[in-house]
Every structure is written in structure tokens, then in C-alpha cells.
Amino acid sequence: MSQQQGSTASVSVIGLGPMGQAMVRAFLSAGTEVTVWNRTSAKVDAMVALGAKPANSVAEALGSNELIVVSLTHYDAMYQVLGQATDQLAGKVIANLSSDSPEKARVGGTWVRSHGAQFLSGGFMSAGDNIEHPASYIFYSGPREVFDAQADLLRPLSPQEYLGTDDGLAQVFYQALLVTFHPWILSYHQALALIERSGHDIDQFLPYAVRSAGAYPFFMEEYAKTAKEDGSGDLAALQMMDAGAQHIIEASEEVGADSTLSHAAQSLWRKAITETEATSNAVAMFDLMGGRKN
Ligand SMILES: NC(=O)c1ccc[n+]([C@@H]2O[C@H](COP(=O)([O-])OP(=O)(O)OC[C@H]3O[C@@H](n4cnc5c(N)ncnc54)[C@H](OP(=O)(O)O)[C@@H]3O)[C@@H](O)[C@H]2O)c1
């Protein structure tokens, strides 16, 4: 069980960027006592003003509670921070909710355990730092019994999705979702630039953007189906997408909106067409992306 002081649940949060601060607020709202540490102390002061307890050192943050929630830019920062007090790690539970590659999370888990602590990896699927948004949730992976023992204490952060025992698994799912989210952010800004530079009103465009996004789940299910089917691609569809990419590029460039992303998309459609023409087997985009190699 997680450390309790009397009947009050308590945790330490290490790392007070936008996410760490949002976590501290969520814990405090749930009545959880929170001890905080951050490299830059001004961020500690802001959390203390809300009711958190300051730790003057990493060792003090580790010593204050059994469950330590880590929210840093990447796993390298975890070594730099927890490395300051490895003698305090034994008996602790490190829940690292920072983003990084699955392999970095696995190596991180091994490092934490080598110092006598337990480890959970988390991927925070939040709407930015608005972790109270109904769409926010957290992927967890690591030993099931460690997750079960800490689930109640971690619950104020966001709904939980435990994926499995592989320390890297939370990051596999988290990064796979970010694969789609990152280009979407960029392409959406390109679309807004296209609208504005065409002399039109972003507010007029917004409802249509939201409405069209309603079709994305349909495409997600369709492409998941074809990815599993081991089917071949469709040359006519690839050529249509290549032509479509050209129209997007021209629409953007006519008004001076950046088209870098659309050129990258077109180069992938063209790669599929070239490979199709070379082998006379229509290449499926899923295969071009590296699917079905195992
Ligand atoms: N922000 C989001 O919308 C969001 C959403 C989901 C997941 N995430 C992920 O959640 C994690 C935290 O996000 P964030 O936005 O709060 O990140 P962030 O702005 O990058 O800051 C996180 C913290 O890392 C600390 N840090 C970085 N390098 C350090 C080092 N070498 N030594 C000591 N401390 C170091 C920073 O300390 P200082 O204050 O001293 O600089 C800061 O407290 C990231 O992995 C991010 O990818 C972010």
C-alpha cells in the first residue's frame, strides 16, 4: 500500500512543468497531501501557495512518501534528478509519467529497480495540461501488483488504462497516438493559415473543421481493418491521393501558407506509386509505413 500519514493519502511530485503542476492541483483537490520538488524553485513556491509542502532536496522529496510521481521532460532528466539521492530510493515506488521512447522507459525501470525501488511507467493522454478534460486518461504499464497497489492513490490524476507488465508498453501506445497527433497539430495550423491568408474568418471555418473531424473514427476503423487484412494497395487510390496532395500544396502556396507537411505527404504517396510501378503489386500504405514485417 502507498504511504499514508494518519488517514490522509500523500505523494511526492518531482517535476513541476505544466503537467507536474496540473497533477499537484489534482492531488490537492482530491485531499491528497503533496510534497513537491523542482529544479527551478520558483515553481515550487507557486505550488506551496496552493497547499503543497516544499522539499528542499530530492532526498527530502523521496523521504517524504512511498509513492513518487515523476513528471520531467524525458527519462534522461530522471537520472539527473533521482541520481542525486539514489540511497533514498529503496522501498519507494517511482511512477514516471514523463514521455520518452519505450526502450528508454524499459531501461529506466531497470535502473530504478537496481536501486531497490518499484517502478511504473505512464503515458499521459491529456488535452494539453488540462488533465481534467473528459478526454484525458493515462496509460500505465509495469508490474500489475505495483499498479494495483498504487491505483487508488494515482486516481485523482485522470482515468487509468493499465496495459500490461512490459515497462515500455505505456510509451508504445502513448507514442503511437502522438504519431497521429503531432502532424495533425501542424496540418491544422496550416489549414488555419490557409483560411486567414485567403482573407477568410477562422471562426467561420472552425465549425466545419470540428464537423469534418467526426469522420476520423470511420477512417480509423477502416484503415485498421485493411491493415489487418494483409491486402494490397490500390494504385488508383494512391494516384488520387498524390493529385489531392498537389491541390493542397497549390492552395497553400497560392496564398503563402507553409506547405512543408503537404510535400512530405505527397512524397509518401509518390513513393508508394513508384514501388507499385516497380513491382506491379499495389503497395499498401500500411506496408510502406513498415507494417507487417514480423
Ligand atoms: N504539457 C503537455 O501538454 C503534456 C501532455 C502530456 C504529456 N506530457 C509529457 O509530460 C512530461 C512533462 O510535461 P511538461 O509539459 O510539464 O514538461 P516540461 O515543461 O518539459 O517540464 C517538465 C519538468 O522537467 C524539468 N526538467 C527538465 N530537464 C531537467 C533536468 N535535466 N534536471 C531537472 N529537471 C529537469 C523541468 O524543470 P525546470 O522547471 O527546472 O526547467 C520541469 O519541471 C513530458 O515528458 C511531456 O512530454 C506533456
Side-chain angles (χ1 to χ4, degrees):
M1 258 319 275
S2 298
Q3 180 173 321
Q4 311 264 314
Q5 292 177 352
S7 59
T8 307
S10 66
V11 301
S12 292
V13 174
I14 289 184
L16 298 174
M19 288 304 282
Q21 292 185 33
M23 292 184 216
V24 171
R25 286 193 293 271
F27 278 131
L28 291 173
S29 301
T32 306
E33 283 184 3
V34 190
T35 299
V36 293
W37 183 89
N38 192 62
R39 178 179 60 180
T40 306
S41 61
K43 294 177 186 169
V44 172
D45 298 342
M47 294 297 98
V48 170
L50 297 178
K53 297 179 183 175
N56 292 316
S57 63
V58 174
E60 195 178 319
L62 291 174
S64 302
N65 290 293
E66 181 191 38
L67 177 61
I68 317 295
V69 175
V70 173
S71 178
L72 298 166
T73 307
H74 38 49
Y75 268 67
D76 281 351
M78 178 182 80
Y79 304 117
Q80 287 164 24
V81 173
L82 300 186
Q84 296 172 31
T86 47
D87 56 337
Q88 293 291 314
L89 277 169
K92 304 298 173 181
V93 181
I94 305 299
N96 194 336
L97 307 190
S98 314
S99 164
D100 216 315
S101 76
E103 198 49 32
K104 292 263 184 74
R106 292 183 191 109
V107 172
T110 302
W111 182 86
V112 165
R113 290 189 193 100
S114 76
H115 293 287
Q118 295 177 306
F119 178 77
L120 281 176
S121 169
F124 215 132
M125 293 309 309
S126 54
D129 61 356
N130 178 4
I131 66 173
E132 291 173 5
H133 192 283
S136 290
Y137 62 98
I138 306 177
F139 288 126
Y140 286 101
S141 66
R144 175 91 226 189
E145 65 280 10
V146 179
F147 172 74
D148 287 345
Q150 304 302 332
D152 284 346
L153 202 40
L154 291 166
R155 213 175 300 284
L157 295 184
S158 267
Q160 303 168 335
E161 295 293 341
Y162 174 77
L163 293 172
T165 55
D166 169 14
D167 290 327
L169 193 49
Q171 292 302 320
V172 173
F173 276 61
Y174 175 78
Q175 301 303 345
L177 287 169
L178 287 192
V179 164
T180 64
F181 187 52
H182 267 228
W184 176 82
I185 294 172
L186 298 171
S187 59
Y188 183 58
H189 283 92
Q190 181 184 340
L192 295 180
L194 193 163
I195 292 294
E196 196 204 52
R197 281 180 169 261
S198 301
H200 295 287
D201 187 354
I202 284 175
D203 285 341
Q204 185 189 0
F205 173 70
L206 178 58
Y208 298 116
V210 172
R211 185 172 165 186
S212 294
Y216 293 174
F218 164 77
F219 287 113
M220 286 178 199
E221 286 171 12
E222 283 299 301
Y223 294 147
K225 215 188 310 170
T226 53
K228 288 189 302 180
E229 271 169 2
D230 197 18
S232 61
D234 174 346
L235 181 58
L238 294 174
Q239 287 166 333
M240 187 270 287
M241 295 306 276
D242 174 28
Q246 186 60 32
H247 305 156
I248 297 164
I249 289 165
E250 286 172 16
S252 300
E253 292 179 352
E254 279 170 7
V255 293
D258 192 284
S259 59
T260 309
L261 206 63
S262 306
H263 280 285
Q266 187 177 49
S267 73
L268 285 164
W269 297 119
R270 289 188 170 173
K271 190 174 173 191
I273 291 168
T274 303
E275 288 193 17
T276 296
E277 287 168 350
T279 62
S280 59
N281 270 331
V283 173
M285 188 47 77
F286 176 64
D287 292 348
L288 194 80
M289 288 295 176
R292 219 174 283 118
K293 290 282 192 296
N294 292 330

